[in-house]
Coordinates of all heavy atoms in Angstrom, one line a residue:
A1 N -10.2 -7.8 0.2 CA -9.4 -8.6 -0.7 C -9.8 -8.6 -2.1 O -9.0 -8.5 -3.1 CB -9.4 -10.1 -0.2
E2 N -11.2 -8.5 -2.3 CA -11.7 -8.5 -3.7 C -11.3 -7.2 -4.4 O -11.0 -7.2 -5.6 CB -13.2 -8.6 -3.6 CG -13.7 -10.0 -3.2 CD -15.2 -10.0 -3.1 OE1 -15.9 -9.1 -3.5 OE2 -15.7 -11.1 -2.6
G3 N -11.3 -6.1 -3.6 CA -10.9 -4.8 -4.2 C -9.5 -4.8 -4.6 O -9.1 -4.2 -5.7
L4 N -8.6 -5.4 -3.8 CA -7.2 -5.5 -4.1 C -7.0 -6.3 -5.3 O -6.2 -6.0 -6.2 CB -6.4 -6.0 -2.9 CG -6.3 -5.1 -1.7 CD1 -5.7 -5.8 -0.5 CD2 -5.5 -3.8 -2.0
A5 N -7.7 -7.4 -5.4 CA -7.6 -8.3 -6.6 C -8.0 -7.5 -7.9 O -7.3 -7.6 -8.9 CB -8.5 -9.5 -6.4
A6 N -9.1 -6.8 -7.8 CA -9.5 -6.0 -9.0 C -8.5 -4.9 -9.3 O -8.1 -4.7 -10.5 CB -10.8 -5.4 -8.7
A7 N -7.9 -4.3 -8.3 CA -6.9 -3.2 -8.6 C -5.6 -3.9 -9.2 O -5.1 -3.3 -10.2 CB -6.5 -2.5 -7.3
A8 N -5.2 -5.0 -8.7 CA -4.0 -5.7 -9.3 C -4.3 -6.2 -10.7 O -3.3 -6.2 -11.5 CB -3.6 -6.8 -8.4
A9 N -5.5 -6.5 -11.0 CA -5.8 -7.0 -12.4 C -5.7 -5.8 -13.4 O -5.5 -6.1 -14.6 CB -7.2 -7.6 -12.4
D10 N -5.9 -4.6 -12.9 CA -5.8 -3.4 -13.8 C -4.3 -3.2 -14.1 O -3.6 -2.5 -13.4 CB -6.4 -2.2 -13.1 CG -6.3 -0.9 -14.0 OD1 -5.7 -1.0 -15.1 OD2 -6.7 0.1 -13.5
G11 N -3.8 -3.9 -15.1 CA -2.4 -3.8 -15.5 C -1.6 -5.1 -15.2 O -0.4 -5.1 -15.4
E12 N -2.3 -6.1 -14.7 CA -1.6 -7.4 -14.4 C -0.4 -7.1 -13.5 O 0.8 -7.5 -13.8 CB -1.2 -8.2 -15.6 CG -2.4 -8.6 -16.5 CD -2.0 -9.4 -17.7 OE1 -0.9 -9.3 -18.2 OE2 -2.9 -10.2 -18.2
L13 N -0.6 -6.4 -12.5 CA 0.5 -5.9 -11.6 C 1.3 -7.0 -10.9 O 2.4 -6.8 -10.5 CB 0.0 -4.9 -10.6 CG -0.7 -3.7 -11.2 CD1 -1.1 -2.7 -10.1 CD2 0.2 -3.0 -12.2
W14 N 0.8 -8.2 -10.8 CA 1.5 -9.3 -10.2 C 2.8 -9.7 -11.0 O 3.7 -10.3 -10.5 CB 0.6 -10.5 -10.0 CG 0.0 -11.0 -11.3 CD1 0.5 -11.8 -12.2 CD2 -1.3 -10.6 -11.8 NE1 -0.3 -12.0 -13.2 CE2 -1.5 -11.3 -13.0 CE3 -2.3 -9.8 -11.3 CZ2 -2.6 -11.1 -13.8 CZ3 -3.5 -9.7 -12.0 CH2 -3.6 -10.3 -13.3
K15 N 2.9 -9.2 -12.2 CA 4.0 -9.4 -13.1 C 5.2 -8.5 -12.7 O 6.3 -8.7 -13.2 CB 3.7 -9.3 -14.5 CG 2.7 -10.3 -15.0 CD 2.4 -10.2 -16.5 CE 1.4 -11.2 -17.0 NZ 1.1 -11.1 -18.4
L16 N 4.9 -7.5 -11.9 CA 6.0 -6.6 -11.5 C 6.9 -7.3 -10.5 O 6.5 -8.1 -9.7 CB 5.4 -5.3 -10.8 CG 4.5 -4.4 -11.6 CD1 3.9 -3.4 -10.7 CD2 5.3 -3.8 -12.8
V17 N 8.2 -6.8 -10.5 CA 9.2 -7.4 -9.6 C 9.6 -6.4 -8.6 O 10.5 -6.7 -7.7 CB 10.4 -8.0 -10.3 CG1 10.0 -9.2 -11.2 CG2 11.1 -6.9 -11.2
V18 N 9.0 -5.2 -8.6 CA 9.5 -4.1 -7.7 C 8.7 -4.0 -6.4 O 9.1 -3.3 -5.5 CB 9.4 -2.7 -8.4 CG1 10.4 -2.7 -9.6 CG2 8.0 -2.4 -8.9
T19 N 7.6 -4.7 -6.3 CA 6.9 -4.7 -5.0 C 6.0 -6.0 -4.9 O 6.0 -6.8 -5.8 CB 6.0 -3.4 -4.9 OG1 5.5 -3.3 -3.6 CG2 4.8 -3.5 -5.9
S20 N 5.3 -6.1 -3.8 CA 4.5 -7.3 -3.5 C 3.1 -7.0 -3.9 O 2.5 -6.0 -3.4 CB 4.6 -7.6 -2.1 OG 3.7 -8.7 -1.7
V21 N 2.5 -7.7 -4.9 CA 1.2 -7.5 -5.4 C 0.4 -8.8 -5.4 O 1.0 -9.8 -5.7 CB 1.2 -6.9 -6.9 CG1 -0.2 -6.7 -7.4 CG2 2.0 -5.6 -6.9
P22 N -0.8 -8.8 -5.0 CA -1.5 -10.1 -5.0 C -1.7 -10.7 -6.4 O -2.0 -10.1 -7.3 CB -2.9 -9.8 -4.4 CG -3.1 -8.3 -4.6 CD -1.7 -7.7 -4.6
E23 N -1.3 -12.0 -6.4 CA -1.4 -12.8 -7.7 C -2.9 -13.2 -7.8 O -3.6 -13.3 -6.9 CB -0.5 -13.9 -7.7 CG 1.0 -13.5 -7.6 CD 1.9 -14.7 -7.8 OE1 1.5 -15.8 -8.2 OE2 3.1 -14.5 -7.5
P24 N -3.3 -13.5 -9.1 CA -4.7 -14.0 -9.3 C -5.0 -15.2 -8.3 O -4.3 -16.1 -8.2 CB -4.7 -14.4 -10.7 CG -3.6 -13.6 -11.4 CD -2.5 -13.5 -10.3
G25 N -6.2 -15.0 -7.7 CA -6.6 -16.1 -6.8 C -6.0 -16.1 -5.4 O -6.3 -16.9 -4.5
D26 N -5.1 -15.1 -5.1 CA -4.4 -15.1 -3.8 C -4.6 -13.8 -3.1 O -3.8 -13.4 -2.2 CB -2.9 -15.4 -4.0 CG -2.2 -15.6 -2.7 OD1 -2.8 -16.2 -1.8 OD2 -1.1 -15.1 -2.5
A27 N -5.6 -13.0 -3.4 CA -5.8 -11.7 -2.7 C -6.0 -11.9 -1.2 O -5.4 -11.2 -0.4 CB -6.9 -10.9 -3.3
R28 N -6.8 -12.9 -0.8 CA -7.0 -13.1 0.6 C -5.7 -13.5 1.3 O -5.4 -13.0 2.4 CB -8.1 -14.2 0.8 CG -8.2 -14.7 2.2 CD -9.3 -14.2 3.1 NE -10.5 -13.6 2.4 CZ -11.0 -12.5 2.7 NH1 -10.5 -11.8 3.7 NH2 -12.1 -12.0 2.1
G29 N -4.9 -14.4 0.7 CA -3.6 -14.7 1.3 C -2.7 -13.5 1.4 O -1.9 -13.4 2.4
Y30 N -2.7 -12.6 0.4 CA -1.9 -11.4 0.4 C -2.3 -10.6 1.6 O -1.4 -10.1 2.3 CB -2.2 -10.6 -0.9 CG -1.5 -9.3 -1.0 CD1 -0.2 -9.2 -1.4 CD2 -2.2 -8.1 -0.6 CE1 0.4 -7.9 -1.5 CE2 -1.6 -6.9 -0.7 CZ -0.3 -6.8 -1.1 OH 0.3 -5.5 -1.2
V31 N -3.6 -10.4 1.9 CA -4.0 -9.6 3.0 C -3.6 -10.3 4.3 O -3.1 -9.7 5.2 CB -5.6 -9.4 3.0 CG1 -6.1 -8.8 4.3 CG2 -5.9 -8.6 1.8
E32 N -3.8 -11.6 4.4 CA -3.4 -12.3 5.6 C -1.9 -12.2 5.9 O -1.5 -12.0 7.1 CB -3.9 -13.8 5.5 CG -5.4 -13.9 5.6 CD -5.8 -15.4 5.3 OE1 -5.0 -16.2 4.9 OE2 -7.1 -15.6 5.3
R33 N -1.1 -12.3 4.9 CA 0.4 -12.2 5.1 C 0.7 -10.8 5.5 O 1.6 -10.6 6.4 CB 1.1 -12.6 3.8 CG 1.1 -14.1 3.5 CD 2.0 -14.5 2.4 NE 1.6 -13.9 1.1 CZ 0.6 -14.4 0.3 NH1 -0.1 -15.5 0.7 NH2 0.3 -13.8 -0.8
A34 N 0.1 -9.8 4.9 CA 0.4 -8.4 5.3 C 0.0 -8.2 6.8 O 0.8 -7.6 7.5 CB -0.4 -7.5 4.5
F35 N -1.1 -8.7 7.2 CA -1.5 -8.5 8.6 C -0.6 -9.4 9.6 O -0.5 -9.0 10.8 CB -3.0 -8.9 8.8 CG -3.9 -7.9 8.3 CD1 -5.2 -8.3 7.9 CD2 -3.6 -6.5 8.2 CE1 -6.1 -7.3 7.4 CE2 -4.5 -5.6 7.7 CZ -5.7 -6.0 7.3
A36 N -0.1 -10.4 9.1 CA 0.8 -11.3 10.0 C 2.2 -10.7 10.2 O 2.8 -11.1 11.2 CB 0.9 -12.7 9.3
M37 N 2.6 -9.8 9.4 CA 3.9 -9.2 9.6 C 3.9 -8.3 10.8 O 3.1 -7.5 11.0 CB 4.3 -8.4 8.3 CG 4.5 -9.3 7.1 SD 4.9 -8.3 5.6 CE 6.6 -7.7 6.0
Q38 N 4.9 -8.5 11.7 CA 5.0 -7.8 12.9 C 5.4 -6.4 12.8 O 5.1 -5.5 13.6 CB 6.0 -8.5 13.9 CG 5.5 -9.9 14.3 CD 4.2 -9.9 15.0 OE1 4.0 -9.1 16.0 NE2 3.2 -10.7 14.6
D39 N 6.1 -6.1 11.7 CA 6.7 -4.7 11.5 C 6.1 -4.0 10.3 O 6.8 -3.3 9.6 CB 8.2 -4.7 11.5 CG 8.7 -5.5 10.3 OD1 8.0 -6.2 9.6 OD2 9.9 -5.3 10.0
R40 N 4.8 -4.3 10.0 CA 4.2 -3.7 8.9 C 2.8 -3.3 9.2 O 2.0 -4.1 9.9 CB 4.2 -4.7 7.7 CG 3.5 -4.1 6.4 CD 3.6 -5.1 5.3 NE 2.9 -4.6 4.1 CZ 2.5 -5.4 3.1 NH1 2.9 -6.7 3.1 NH2 1.9 -4.9 2.1
V41 N 2.4 -2.1 8.8 CA 1.0 -1.7 8.9 C 0.5 -1.4 7.5 O 1.0 -0.4 6.9 CB 0.8 -0.5 9.8 CG1 -0.6 0.0 9.8 CG2 1.3 -0.7 11.2
A42 N -0.3 -2.2 6.9 CA -0.8 -2.1 5.5 C -2.1 -1.3 5.4 O -2.9 -1.5 6.3 CB -0.9 -3.5 4.9
F43 N -2.2 -0.6 4.4 CA -3.4 0.2 4.1 C -3.9 -0.1 2.7 O -3.1 -0.2 1.7 CB -3.1 1.7 4.1 CG -2.5 2.2 5.4 CD1 -1.1 2.3 5.6 CD2 -3.4 2.6 6.5 CE1 -0.6 2.7 6.8 CE2 -2.8 3.1 7.7 CZ -1.5 3.1 7.9
A44 N -5.2 -0.2 2.6 CA -5.8 -0.2 1.2 C -6.0 1.2 0.8 O -6.4 2.1 1.6 CB -7.1 -1.0 1.3
V45 N -5.7 1.5 -0.4 CA -5.9 2.9 -0.9 C -7.2 2.9 -1.7 O -7.4 2.1 -2.6 CB -4.7 3.3 -1.8 CG1 -5.0 4.7 -2.4 CG2 -3.4 3.3 -1.0
R46 N -8.1 3.8 -1.4 CA -9.4 3.9 -2.1 C -9.5 5.2 -2.9 O -9.0 6.2 -2.4 CB -10.5 3.9 -1.1 CG -10.5 2.6 -0.2 CD -11.6 2.6 0.8 NE -12.9 2.3 0.2 CZ -13.5 1.2 0.2 NH1 -12.9 0.1 0.7 NH2 -14.6 1.0 -0.4
A47 N -10.2 5.2 -4.0 CA -10.4 6.4 -4.8 C -11.5 7.2 -4.1 O -12.5 6.7 -3.6 CB -10.9 6.0 -6.2
L48 N -11.2 8.5 -4.0 CA -12.2 9.4 -3.4 C -13.5 9.5 -4.2 O -14.6 9.6 -3.6 CB -11.6 10.8 -3.2 CG -10.5 11.0 -2.2 CD1 -9.9 12.4 -2.2 CD2 -11.0 10.6 -0.8
D49 N -13.4 9.4 -5.5 CA -14.6 9.6 -6.3 C -15.5 8.4 -6.3 O -16.7 8.6 -6.3 CB -14.2 10.0 -7.7 CG -13.3 9.0 -8.4 OD1 -12.7 8.1 -7.7 OD2 -13.1 9.2 -9.6
T50 N -15.0 7.2 -6.2 CA -15.8 6.0 -6.3 C -15.8 5.2 -5.1 O -16.7 4.3 -4.9 CB -15.4 5.1 -7.5 OG1 -14.1 4.6 -7.2 CG2 -15.4 5.9 -8.8
G51 N -14.8 5.3 -4.3 CA -14.6 4.4 -3.1 C -14.0 3.1 -3.4 O -13.8 2.3 -2.5
A52 N -13.7 2.9 -4.7 CA -13.1 1.6 -5.1 C -11.7 1.5 -4.6 O -10.9 2.5 -4.5 CB -13.1 1.5 -6.6
V53 N -11.3 0.3 -4.2 CA -9.9 0.1 -3.8 C -9.0 0.2 -5.1 O -9.3 -0.5 -6.1 CB -9.7 -1.3 -3.2 CG1 -8.2 -1.6 -2.9 CG2 -10.5 -1.4 -1.9
I54 N -8.0 1.0 -5.0 CA -7.1 1.2 -6.2 C -5.7 0.8 -6.0 O -4.8 1.0 -6.8 CB -7.2 2.6 -6.7 CG1 -6.8 3.6 -5.6 CG2 -8.6 2.9 -7.2 CD1 -6.7 5.0 -6.1
G55 N -5.4 0.3 -4.8 CA -4.0 -0.2 -4.5 C -3.7 -0.3 -3.0 O -4.7 -0.4 -2.2
S56 N -2.5 -0.3 -2.7 CA -2.1 -0.5 -1.3 C -0.7 0.2 -1.0 O 0.1 0.3 -1.9 CB -1.9 -2.0 -1.0 OG -1.6 -2.3 0.3
T57 N -0.5 0.6 0.2 CA 0.8 1.1 0.7 C 0.9 0.7 2.1 O -0.1 0.4 2.8 CB 0.9 2.6 0.4 OG1 2.2 3.0 0.6 CG2 -0.1 3.4 1.3
S58 N 2.1 0.8 2.6 CA 2.3 0.4 4.0 C 3.4 1.2 4.7 O 4.3 1.7 4.1 CB 2.8 -1.1 4.0 OG 1.9 -2.0 3.4
Y59 N 3.3 1.2 6.1 CA 4.4 1.5 6.9 C 5.1 0.1 7.1 O 4.4 -0.9 7.3 CB 4.0 2.0 8.3 CG 3.4 3.4 8.3 CD1 2.3 3.7 9.2 CD2 4.0 4.4 7.6 CE1 1.8 5.0 9.3 CE2 3.5 5.7 7.7 CZ 2.4 6.0 8.5 OH 1.9 7.2 8.6
H60 N 6.4 0.1 7.1 CA 7.1 -1.2 7.3 C 8.4 -1.0 8.0 O 8.9 0.2 8.1 CB 7.2 -2.0 6.1 CG 8.1 -1.4 5.0 ND1 9.4 -1.7 4.9 CD2 7.8 -0.5 4.1 CE1 9.9 -1.1 3.9 NE2 8.9 -0.3 3.4
D61 N 9.1 -2.1 8.3 CA 10.4 -2.0 9.0 C 10.3 -1.0 10.2 O 11.1 -0.1 10.3 CB 11.5 -1.7 8.1 CG 11.8 -2.9 7.1 OD1 11.9 -4.0 7.7 OD2 11.9 -2.7 5.9
I62 N 9.3 -1.1 11.0 CA 9.0 -0.2 12.1 C 9.9 -0.5 13.2 O 9.9 -1.6 13.7 CB 7.5 -0.3 12.5 CG1 6.6 0.1 11.3 CG2 7.2 0.6 13.6 CD1 5.2 -0.3 11.4
V63 N 10.6 0.5 13.7 CA 11.5 0.3 14.8 C 11.2 1.4 15.9 O 11.7 2.5 15.9 CB 13.0 0.4 14.4 CG1 13.9 0.1 15.6 CG2 13.3 -0.5 13.3
P64 N 10.3 1.1 16.8 CA 9.9 2.1 17.8 C 11.0 2.6 18.7 O 11.0 3.8 19.1 CB 8.8 1.4 18.6 CG 8.3 0.3 17.8 CD 9.5 -0.1 16.9
A65 N 12.0 1.8 18.9 CA 13.1 2.2 19.8 C 13.9 3.4 19.3 O 14.4 4.2 20.1 CB 14.0 1.1 20.1
V66 N 13.8 3.6 18.0 CA 14.6 4.7 17.4 C 13.6 5.6 16.6 O 14.1 6.4 15.7 CB 15.8 4.3 16.5 CG1 16.8 3.7 17.4 CG2 15.3 3.3 15.4
D67 N 12.3 5.5 16.8 CA 11.3 6.3 16.1 C 11.5 6.3 14.6 O 11.6 7.3 14.0 CB 11.3 7.8 16.6 CG 10.9 7.9 18.1 OD1 10.1 7.0 18.5 OD2 11.3 8.8 18.7
R68 N 11.5 5.1 14.1 CA 11.8 4.9 12.6 C 10.8 4.0 12.0 O 10.3 3.0 12.6 CB 13.2 4.3 12.4 CG 13.6 4.4 10.9 CD 14.7 3.4 10.7 NE 14.1 2.1 10.5 CZ 14.7 1.1 9.9 NH1 16.0 1.2 9.5 NH2 14.1 0.0 9.7
L69 N 10.4 4.3 10.8 CA 9.6 3.5 10.0 C 9.9 3.8 8.5 O 10.4 4.9 8.2 CB 8.1 3.6 10.3 CG 7.4 4.9 10.1 CD1 7.1 5.3 8.7 CD2 6.1 4.9 10.9
E70 N 9.5 2.9 7.6 CA 9.7 3.1 6.2 C 8.3 3.1 5.6 O 7.4 2.5 6.1 CB 10.6 2.1 5.6 CG 12.0 2.1 6.1 CD 12.9 1.1 5.5 OE1 12.7 0.7 4.3 OE2 13.8 0.7 6.2
I71 N 8.2 3.7 4.4 CA 7.0 3.7 3.6 C 7.3 2.9 2.4 O 8.3 3.1 1.7 CB 6.5 5.1 3.3 CG1 6.1 5.8 4.5 CG2 5.3 5.0 2.3 CD1 5.8 7.3 4.3
G72 N 6.5 1.9 2.1 CA 6.7 1.1 0.9 C 5.6 0.0 0.7 O 4.5 0.2 1.2
Y73 N 6.0 -1.1 0.0 CA 5.0 -2.1 -0.4 C 3.9 -1.4 -1.2 O 2.7 -1.7 -1.0 CB 4.5 -2.9 0.8 CG 5.4 -3.8 1.4 CD1 6.3 -3.4 2.5 CD2 5.5 -5.1 1.0 CE1 7.1 -4.3 3.1 CE2 6.4 -6.0 1.6 CZ 7.2 -5.6 2.7 OH 8.0 -6.5 3.3
T74 N 4.2 -0.3 -1.9 CA 3.2 0.5 -2.6 C 3.0 0.1 -4.0 O 3.9 -0.2 -4.7 CB 3.7 2.0 -2.6 OG1 3.9 2.4 -1.2 CG2 2.7 2.9 -3.2
W75 N 1.7 0.0 -4.4 CA 1.4 -0.3 -5.8 C 0.0 0.2 -6.0 O -0.8 0.3 -5.1 CB 1.4 -1.8 -6.1 CG 0.6 -2.7 -5.3 CD1 0.9 -3.2 -4.1 CD2 -0.8 -3.0 -5.5 NE1 -0.2 -4.0 -3.6 CE2 -1.3 -3.8 -4.5 CE3 -1.7 -2.8 -6.6 CZ2 -2.5 -4.4 -4.4 CZ3 -3.0 -3.3 -6.6 CH2 -3.4 -4.1 -5.5
Y76 N -0.3 0.6 -7.2 CA -1.6 1.2 -7.6 C -2.0 0.6 -8.9 O -1.2 0.2 -9.8 CB -1.5 2.7 -7.8 CG -1.1 3.4 -6.5 CD1 0.2 4.0 -6.5 CD2 -1.9 3.4 -5.4 CE1 0.6 4.7 -5.3 CE2 -1.4 4.1 -4.2 CZ -0.2 4.7 -4.2 OH 0.2 5.3 -3.1
A77 N -3.3 0.5 -9.1 CA -3.9 0.0 -10.4 C -3.2 0.8 -11.5 O -3.0 2.0 -11.4 CB -5.4 0.2 -10.4
K78 N -3.0 0.2 -12.6 CA -2.3 0.8 -13.8 C -3.0 2.1 -14.1 O -2.4 3.1 -14.4 CB -2.2 -0.1 -15.0 CG -1.4 0.5 -16.1 CD -1.1 -0.6 -17.2 CE -0.3 0.0 -18.3 NZ 1.0 0.4 -18.0
S79 N -4.3 2.1 -14.1 CA -5.1 3.3 -14.5 C -4.9 4.5 -13.5 O -5.2 5.6 -13.8 CB -6.6 3.0 -14.6 OG -7.1 2.6 -13.3
R80 N -4.3 4.2 -12.3 CA -4.1 5.3 -11.3 C -2.6 5.6 -11.2 O -2.3 6.5 -10.4 CB -4.7 4.8 -10.0 CG -6.1 4.5 -9.9 CD -7.0 5.8 -10.3 NE -8.4 5.4 -10.3 CZ -9.3 6.2 -9.7 NH1 -9.0 7.3 -9.1 NH2 -10.6 5.8 -9.8
Q81 N -1.8 4.9 -11.9 CA -0.4 5.3 -11.8 C -0.1 6.6 -12.6 O -0.8 6.9 -13.5 CB 0.5 4.1 -12.5 CG 0.4 2.9 -11.7 CD 1.1 1.7 -12.4 OE1 1.7 1.8 -13.4 NE2 0.9 0.5 -11.8
K82 N 0.9 7.3 -12.1 CA 1.3 8.6 -12.7 C 0.2 9.6 -12.6 O 0.0 10.5 -13.5 CB 1.7 8.4 -14.2 CG 2.9 7.5 -14.3 CD 3.4 7.3 -15.7 CE 4.5 6.4 -15.8 NZ 5.0 6.1 -17.2
T83 N -0.6 9.5 -11.5 CA -1.6 10.5 -11.2 C -1.2 11.1 -9.8 O -0.2 10.8 -9.2 CB -3.0 9.9 -11.1 OG1 -3.0 9.0 -9.9 CG2 -3.3 9.1 -12.3
R84 N -2.1 11.9 -9.3 CA -1.9 12.5 -8.0 C -2.0 11.5 -6.8 O -1.8 11.9 -5.6 CB -2.8 13.7 -7.8 CG -4.2 13.4 -7.8 CD -5.1 14.6 -7.7 NE -6.5 14.2 -7.8 CZ -7.4 15.1 -7.8 NH1 -7.2 16.4 -7.6 NH2 -8.7 14.7 -7.9
V85 N -2.5 10.3 -7.1 CA -2.7 9.4 -6.0 C -1.5 9.1 -5.1 O -1.5 9.2 -3.9 CB -3.3 8.0 -6.5 CG1 -3.3 7.0 -5.5 CG2 -4.6 8.2 -7.1
N86 N -0.4 8.8 -5.7 CA 0.8 8.4 -5.0 C 1.4 9.6 -4.2 O 1.6 9.5 -3.0 CB 1.9 7.8 -5.9 CG 3.0 7.2 -5.0 OD1 2.8 6.5 -4.1 ND2 4.3 7.5 -5.4
P87 N 1.5 10.8 -4.8 CA 2.0 11.9 -3.9 C 1.0 12.2 -2.8 O 1.5 12.5 -1.7 CB 2.1 13.1 -4.9 CG 2.2 12.5 -6.2 CD 1.5 11.2 -6.2
A88 N -0.3 12.1 -3.0 CA -1.2 12.4 -2.0 C -1.1 11.4 -0.8 O -1.2 11.8 0.3 CB -2.7 12.5 -2.5
C89 N -1.0 10.1 -1.2 CA -0.9 9.1 -0.2 C 0.4 9.2 0.6 O 0.4 9.1 1.9 CB -0.9 7.7 -0.8 SG -2.6 7.2 -1.4
K90 N 1.5 9.5 -0.1 CA 2.8 9.7 0.7 C 2.7 10.9 1.6 O 3.2 10.8 2.7 CB 3.9 9.8 -0.3 CG 4.2 8.6 -1.1 CD 4.4 7.4 -0.3 CE 4.9 6.2 -1.0 NZ 3.9 5.5 -1.8
F91 N 2.1 12.0 1.2 CA 1.9 13.1 2.0 C 1.1 12.8 3.3 O 1.5 13.1 4.4 CB 1.2 14.3 1.3 CG 0.8 15.4 2.2 CD1 1.8 16.3 2.7 CD2 -0.5 15.6 2.6 CE1 1.5 17.3 3.5 CE2 -0.8 16.6 3.4 CZ 0.1 17.5 3.9
L92 N 0.0 12.1 3.1 CA -0.8 11.7 4.3 C 0.0 10.7 5.2 O -0.1 10.9 6.4 CB -2.1 11.0 3.8 CG -3.1 11.9 3.1 CD1 -4.2 11.1 2.5 CD2 -3.6 13.0 4.0
L93 N 0.7 9.8 4.6 CA 1.5 8.9 5.5 C 2.6 9.6 6.2 O 2.8 9.3 7.4 CB 2.1 7.8 4.6 CG 1.1 6.7 4.1 CD1 1.8 5.9 3.0 CD2 0.6 5.8 5.2
M94 N 3.3 10.5 5.6 CA 4.3 11.2 6.2 C 3.8 12.2 7.3 O 4.3 12.3 8.4 CB 5.2 12.0 5.2 CG 6.1 11.0 4.5 SD 7.4 11.9 3.5 CE 6.4 12.5 2.1
R95 N 2.7 12.9 7.0 CA 2.1 13.8 8.0 C 1.7 13.0 9.2 O 1.9 13.4 10.3 CB 0.9 14.5 7.3 CG 0.3 15.5 8.3 CD -0.7 16.4 7.7 NE -1.9 15.6 7.4 CZ -3.0 16.0 6.8 NH1 -3.1 17.2 6.4 NH2 -4.1 15.2 6.7
H96 N 1.0 11.8 9.0 CA 0.6 11.0 10.1 C 1.8 10.5 10.9 O 1.8 10.6 12.2 CB -0.2 9.8 9.6 CG -0.7 8.9 10.7 ND1 -1.6 9.3 11.6 CD2 -0.2 7.7 11.1 CE1 -1.8 8.3 12.5 NE2 -1.0 7.3 12.2
A97 N 2.9 10.1 10.2 CA 4.1 9.6 10.9 C 4.7 10.7 11.8 O 5.1 10.5 12.9 CB 5.1 9.1 9.9
F98 N 4.9 11.9 11.2 CA 5.5 13.0 11.9 C 4.6 13.6 13.0 O 5.1 13.8 14.1 CB 6.1 14.0 11.0 CG 7.3 13.5 10.2 CD1 7.2 13.1 8.9 CD2 8.6 13.5 10.9 CE1 8.4 12.7 8.2 CE2 9.7 13.1 10.2 CZ 9.6 12.7 8.9
E99 N 3.4 14.0 12.6 CA 2.6 14.8 13.5 C 1.8 13.9 14.5 O 1.5 14.4 15.6 CB 1.6 15.6 12.6 CG 2.3 16.6 11.8 CD 1.4 17.5 10.9 OE1 0.1 17.3 11.0 OE2 1.9 18.3 10.1
T100 N 1.4 12.7 14.1 CA 0.6 11.9 15.0 C 1.5 10.9 15.8 O 1.4 10.8 17.0 CB -0.5 11.2 14.3 OG1 -1.3 12.1 13.6 CG2 -1.4 10.4 15.2
L101 N 2.3 10.2 15.1 CA 3.2 9.2 15.7 C 4.4 9.7 16.3 O 5.0 9.1 17.1 CB 3.5 8.1 14.7 CG 2.3 7.3 14.0 CD1 2.9 6.4 13.0 CD2 1.5 6.6 15.1
G102 N 4.8 10.9 15.9 CA 6.1 11.5 16.4 C 7.3 10.9 15.8 O 8.3 10.9 16.5

């Protein structure tokens, strides 16, 4: 939760309206709400070079009966936006969904 709070503070991302980002003082609640969702699997995204948490992305709206899921609830620290982070994460999520989950 602390890492997510620090990542969200990089750019005051809680002001965005396009995704769900932890607001100041609510990172623990953000994590708890993500884990409580029945059709969401949330991931913290970490930087390979430092290990620091730099954002989050999720599988969501998971419908096993029709082998379907969506990728979203994605956000990254402002300093990591428009870098290779998002394409790399999406590639890993899609590869896992298709090759491992089927």
